[in-house]
């Protein structure tokens, strides 16, 4: 039985992209039901919210729940359209076409997740336009081929409104192709629950970390682009669970990464002292 499954997986190009274990995700609204409804119609979905609030964990959880392979692409400014769709490469047999991650998802029916899409250049992201309307197809111009999307294919992007600027934002022609699910940091009670679950700390430590995060988020727009994220709280909690004193753990996981400004570091250090 195991050998049979191994042979089947060897012939499945998406076998390595299945989410094997259930990723922990704590819903704070009806985001799960909204996504399931969007997936039933294969609607392209935008996950919109601040850094470290659980957008990536959510899409991993939904891929597991729906039993669909998940191909994640971390967007960056040097990414080209060829990085997404594929290119010709030389190997021992000569020049061979290699599908990119987006094409792989389109051909075989994976969920394709473009993480922090605003980091990519706009002339790169327009390649997804023909996949996000009723055409659901991907032109491979270099290969003179048009790939019709597999019935199970869906595209998901994450978008941080805090990155909006003249130079770094999505085109309206891109935004309006997606349904959007809004994310934010959870209530203090739920955020403490998440930190306890993910970092293995007790309630008192989790409540302290959430208190510090709340104070740091109040500094957004006063020198900080973003306050401490839930991800940062979990990192601090992991250090605490490993025996690091809470004040030092917060410096390492929350203060030093978030700013180089001495005055802001002093303000954050004061917030830590006030919450401990």
């Amino acid at each position: 039985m195991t050998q049979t499954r191994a042979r089947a997986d060897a012939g499945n190009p998406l076998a390595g992209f299945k989410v094997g274990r259930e990723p922990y995700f704590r819903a704070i609204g009806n985001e799960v039901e909204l996504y399931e409804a969007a997936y039933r119609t294969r609607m392209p979905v935008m996950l919109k919210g601040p850094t470290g609030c659980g957008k990536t964990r959510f899409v991993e959880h939904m891929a597991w729940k729906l039993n669909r392979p998940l191909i994640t692409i971390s967007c960056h400014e040097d990414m080209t359209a060829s990085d997404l769709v594929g290119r010709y490469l030389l190997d021992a047999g000569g020049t061979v076409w290699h599908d990119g991650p987006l094409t792989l998802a389109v051909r075989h029916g994976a969920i394709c997740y473009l993480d922090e899409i605003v980091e990519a250049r706009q002339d790169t992201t327009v390649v997804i336009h023909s996949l996000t309307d009723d055409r659901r197809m991907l032109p491979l111009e270099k290969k003179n081929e048009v790939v019709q999307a597999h019935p199970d294919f869906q595209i998901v992007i994450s978008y941080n409104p805090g990155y909006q600027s003249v130079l770094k934002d999505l085109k309206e022609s891109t935004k309006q192709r997606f349904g959007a699910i809004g994310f934010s940091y959870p209530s203090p009670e739920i955020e403490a629950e998440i930190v306890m679950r993910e970092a293995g700390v007790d309630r008192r430590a989790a409540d302290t970390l959430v208190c510090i995060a709340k104070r740091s988020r109040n500094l957004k727009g006063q020198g900080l682009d973003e306050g401490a994220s839930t991800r940062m709280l979990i990192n601090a909690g992991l250090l605490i669970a490993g025996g690091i004193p809470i004040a030092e753990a917060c410096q390492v996981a929350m203060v030093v990464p978030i700013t180089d400004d001495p005055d802001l570091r002093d303000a954050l250090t004061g917030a830590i002292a006030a919450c401990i």
Side-chain angles (χ1 to χ4, degrees):
M1 180 71 176
T2 303
Q3 290 178 344
T4 301
R5 182 174 181 179
R7 285 195 296 271
D9 286 347
N12 179 5
L14 297 181
F17 295 99
K18 294 298 286 289
V19 181
R21 294 186 303 171
E22 180 181 5
Y24 172 74
F25 177 76
R26 174 63 160 86
I28 61 174
N30 63 341
E31 57 267 39
V32 171
E33 292 78 12
L34 289 173
Y35 186 93
E36 288 177 328
Y39 184 78
R40 284 195 292 271
T41 64
R42 305 303 186 261
M43 180 187 295
V45 172
M46 176 193 301
L47 307 180
K48 193 171 183 177
T51 298
C53 67
K55 299 187 296 293
T56 297
R57 179 63 65 86
F58 172 72
V59 74
E60 290 172 348
H61 176 80
M62 295 310 302
W64 175 85
K65 185 176 177 65
L66 295 168
N67 193 30
R68 298 308 311 152
L70 174 65
I71 296 179
T72 299
I73 302 168
S74 297
C75 297
H76 55 85
E77 62 183 9
D78 294 325
M79 187 173 70
T80 66
S82 293
D83 293 327
L84 291 175
V85 302
R87 51 171 56 89
Y88 282 104
L89 296 173
L90 286 172
D91 64 13
T95 303
V96 179
W97 174 265
H98 289 262
D99 282 344
L102 177 60
T103 306
L104 190 65
V106 172
R107 283 192 197 278
H108 302 285
I111 296 171
C112 185
Y113 174 49
L114 297 172
D115 187 17
E116 298 295 1
I117 193 170
V118 293
E119 296 289 355
R121 301 196 312 264
Q122 291 182 346
D123 61 340
T124 296
T125 55
V126 294
V127 74
I128 69 175
H129 281 193
S130 60
L131 288 167
T132 51
D133 57 29
D134 58 353
R135 291 172 291 174
R136 279 180 59 87
M137 59 87 165
L138 178 64
L140 305 180
E141 295 178 3
K142 293 181 179 179
K143 198 174 180 227
N144 195 27
E145 179 186 359
V146 174
V147 182
Q148 288 297 142
H150 188 284
D152 292 334
F153 169 77
Q154 186 195 34
I155 191 163
V156 181
I157 64 174
S158 66
Y159 176 67
N160 185 344
Y163 288 165
Q164 288 181 347
S165 70
V166 174
L167 298 177
K168 202 176 256 193
D169 196 6
L170 289 179
K171 290 183 175 183
E172 286 300 320
S173 60
T174 302
K175 289 180 183 178
Q176 294 189 23
R177 295 169 180 270
F178 289 81
I181 301 175
F183 284 74
S184 61
Y185 298 123
S187 67
E189 294 76 17
I190 292 177
E191 192 163 32
E193 177 187 323
I194 293 169
V195 173
M196 290 171 62
R197 167 64 171 73
E198 293 287 86
V201 295
D202 60 24
R203 184 74 194 206
R204 181 177 180 182
D207 285 340
T208 301
L209 292 173
V210 171
C211 172
I212 295 166
K214 183 177 179 181
R215 289 173 179 256
S216 77
R217 292 166 191 165
N218 290 336
L219 295 173
K220 183 177 178 180
Q222 302 178 47
L224 285 183
D225 293 330
E226 297 274 1
S229 67
T230 305
R231 182 190 297 126
M232 282 185 154
L233 303 191
I234 292 168
N235 287 340
L238 290 169
L239 292 174
I240 294 166
I244 302 299
I246 188 168
E248 189 173 353
C250 290
Q251 286 288 332
V252 170
M254 299 168 65
V255 177
V256 177
I258 210 170
T259 182
D260 294 319
D261 184 280
D263 292 334
L264 282 173
R265 286 190 177 183
D266 288 344
L268 291 169
T269 300
I272 293 168
C275 291
I276 292 178

